Amino acid sequence: MNDFEYMKLALQLAQKGQGWTSPNPMVGAVIVKNGRIIGQGYHEAYGGLHAERNALADCSESPEGATLYVTLEPCCHHGKQPPCVDAILEAGISRVVAGSTDPNPLVSGKGLEILKSHNISITQHVLEEECIALNEIFFHYIQTGRPFVILKYAMTMDGKIAASTGASKWITGEAARRHVHTLRHRCRAIMVGVGTVLADDPMLTCRMEGGRSPIRIICDTHLRTPISSQIAETASRIPTILATCCNDQRRQAPYQDKGFQILTLPAQNNHVDLSQLMVRLGAMKIDSILLEGGASLNWSALESGIIQKVMAYCSPKLLGGSTAKSPIGGAGFSTPAQAIPLTGTKLSLLGEDILIESEVCQHVHRNH
């Protein structure tokens, strides 16, 4: 095996931490000595041992003189765990192969420099694109302090998210719906507007076996969420945030009694200021949000410039109906030239449905 193959294995290990390491990155590590893998590990959960220390603890023999393959630059600062560079130096590792540098200003090249200064051979940028893509959420969050927001929706091939009657179950097949639950597990929070709560009375939980349910965020400008809704009835068990512009303590009290956490925010275009909401959520260590809103909230999110990625599940069906809703409502743009361009598009087949993933490459200018 060569450097690329060992790094591929480290990437596979890193993915095992998906959904559990937030707001830390997913990291995998493999230790090789005399052409044999003698230890491997990954960052299993936030607050737990980092990948390098797990791999060292897994070694079947002394790692002295071995090569360490790691998807992200080893840390050199004290956080929940002591610096990994210390463990690498103590173990007598002679070479470190790193996939990507750590964008955290506390690390950002310093970890590798420390290792280099102790005469450890350093190889960088091995499968770098894959290593960065693995941690797109962490890279965005650590550099901006704001959550990485994924706009997700299911639509027919004629661009409808529901029939003209409002019926939307089910646009996509079982494979696509299962995939959505892996997203709910992966993201730290899920966000909808009060309109979705009123229309669907959803639970917004992860139903993947062994998965973790996200924190639920309801954008509810005027506090219209029914106290009898499933979300309200389970708010004491599943962390749930109400983002509102209503600062009336008497109206907030019943929600607080149910277990909601209430964030009072200023208004922007007659709804909750989503940009300010992202700042507040980022400060709460919420690094990622799956936006499963309706057409109105989706437009507001795009207009606010908070979306980083779009994931559209497209079903080979035609619904028709001039009043049937499309994924994004609002005022829209007046010309195609003003449309938000997307980039890095990937296609995946999920049963009969197609998943289209794209990155948002520029934000909306509000003066459109």
Side-chain angles (χ1 to χ4, degrees):
M1 289 175 73
N2 58 31
D3 285 355
F4 294 98
E5 290 167 315
Y6 287 126
M7 190 61 76
K8 243 179 216 173
L9 176 57
L11 277 164
Q12 289 166 10
L13 288 165
Q15 285 172 331
K16 290 184 176 184
Q18 185 167 282
W20 301 108
T21 64
S22 166
N24 281 352
M26 291 179 278
V27 185
V30 176
I31 298 171
V32 178
K33 189 172 182 179
N34 300 324
R36 291 177 295 106
I37 295 172
I38 63 166
Q40 51 189 346
Y42 65 99
H43 184 34
E44 296 174 15
Y46 176 67
L49 289 178
H50 290 183
E52 299 93 324
R53 288 182 181 270
N54 274 329
L56 288 166
D58 183 60
C59 280
S60 56
E61 61 183 87
S62 169
E64 190 171 352
T67 297
L68 168 70
Y69 293 85
V70 63
T71 54
L72 186 71
E73 175 185 6
C75 65
C76 57
H77 67 290
H78 281 270
K80 292 278 183 184
Q81 293 291 333
C84 287
V85 292
D86 293 354
I88 293 166
L89 293 171
E90 287 163 16
I93 296 286
S94 64
R95 179 178 177 235
V96 170
V97 181
S100 64
T101 53
D102 190 333
N104 186 340
L106 295 172
V107 186
S108 195
K110 300 184 186 82
L112 293 175
E113 281 303 318
I114 289 169
L115 296 175
K116 209 179 284 184
S117 71
H118 285 82
N119 299 316
I120 290 177
S121 173
I122 302 294
T123 303
Q124 293 180 249
H125 315 303
V126 176
L127 297 185
E128 183 175 36
E129 280 186 23
E130 291 88 336
C131 290
I132 291 172
L134 174 75
N135 280 311
E136 61 183 355
I137 288 172
F138 171 73
F139 274 56
H140 173 82
Y141 177 68
I142 205 72
Q143 290 171 320
T144 66
R146 297 182 176 210
F148 184 95
V149 182
I150 299 170
L151 170 58
K152 167 261 161 186
Y153 52 83
M155 68 178 186
T156 57
M157 276 186 71
D158 57 341
K160 307 296 185 182
I161 59 172
S164 56
T165 59
S168 60
K169 291 182 180 175
W170 294 101
I171 296 287
T172 52
E174 283 187 20
R177 298 203 299 273
R178 278 197 305 271
H179 192 269
V180 168
H181 286 282
T182 68
L183 277 183
R184 289 186 179 186
H185 166 72
R186 172 183 161 197
C187 292
R188 194 68 195 92
I190 183 170
M191 187 164 82
V192 299
V194 67
T196 297
V197 178
L198 292 168
D200 301 336
D201 192 20
M203 277 288 283
L204 305 178
T205 52
C206 173
R207 294 189 288 279
M208 183 183 93
E209 189 177 344
R212 177 171 79 165
S213 285
I215 295 166
R216 303 178 303 190
I217 303 164
I218 317 300
C219 291
D220 186 357
T221 306
H222 304 295
L223 286 185
R224 294 188 296 139
T225 297
I227 287 294
S228 60
S229 64
Q230 290 194 91
I231 281 174
E233 292 297 339
T234 54
S236 60
R237 292 190 286 108
I238 303 166
T240 309
I241 295 167
L242 265 183
T244 184
C245 298
C246 176
N247 57 13
D248 185 332
Q249 294 298 313
R250 288 171 301 174
R251 292 193 58 203
Q252 289 184 5
Y255 296 102
Q256 290 168 330
D257 291 343
K258 282 286 188 180
F260 285 95
Q261 179 175 359
I262 296 181
L263 296 182
T264 307
L265 292 137
Q268 175 72 43
N269 295 336
N270 300 314
H271 59 71
V272 167
D273 187 326
L274 295 176
S275 186
Q276 284 301 309
L277 176 60
M278 293 306 109
V279 173
R280 296 278 294 275
L281 296 174
M284 294 164 65
K285 292 192 174 178
I286 293 175
D287 67 348
S288 50
I289 294 171
L290 182 62
L291 177 56
E292 291 197 24
S296 177
L297 181 58
N298 290 348
W299 167 254
S300 297
L302 282 170
E303 193 179 29
S304 300
I306 67 167
I307 305 292
Q308 278 70 54
K309 190 172 190 175
V310 179
M311 297 182 73
Y313 296 81
C314 188
S315 173
K317 297 172 185 171
L318 300 171
L319 260 176
S322 58
T323 59
K325 286 187 176 178
S326 62
I328 299 163
F333 297 108
S334 54
T335 68
Q338 293 173 316
I340 298 173
L342 304 176
T343 187
T345 300
K346 292 191 305 185
L347 301 180
S348 311
L349 273 176
L350 297 168
E352 291 187 349
D353 302 316
I354 300 166
L355 170 60
I356 308 168
E357 300 177 67
S358 298
E359 296 162 22
V360 177
C361 53
Q362 73 176 45
H363 294 319
V364 179
H365 297 291
R366 285 202 180 92
N367 299 320
H368 55 269

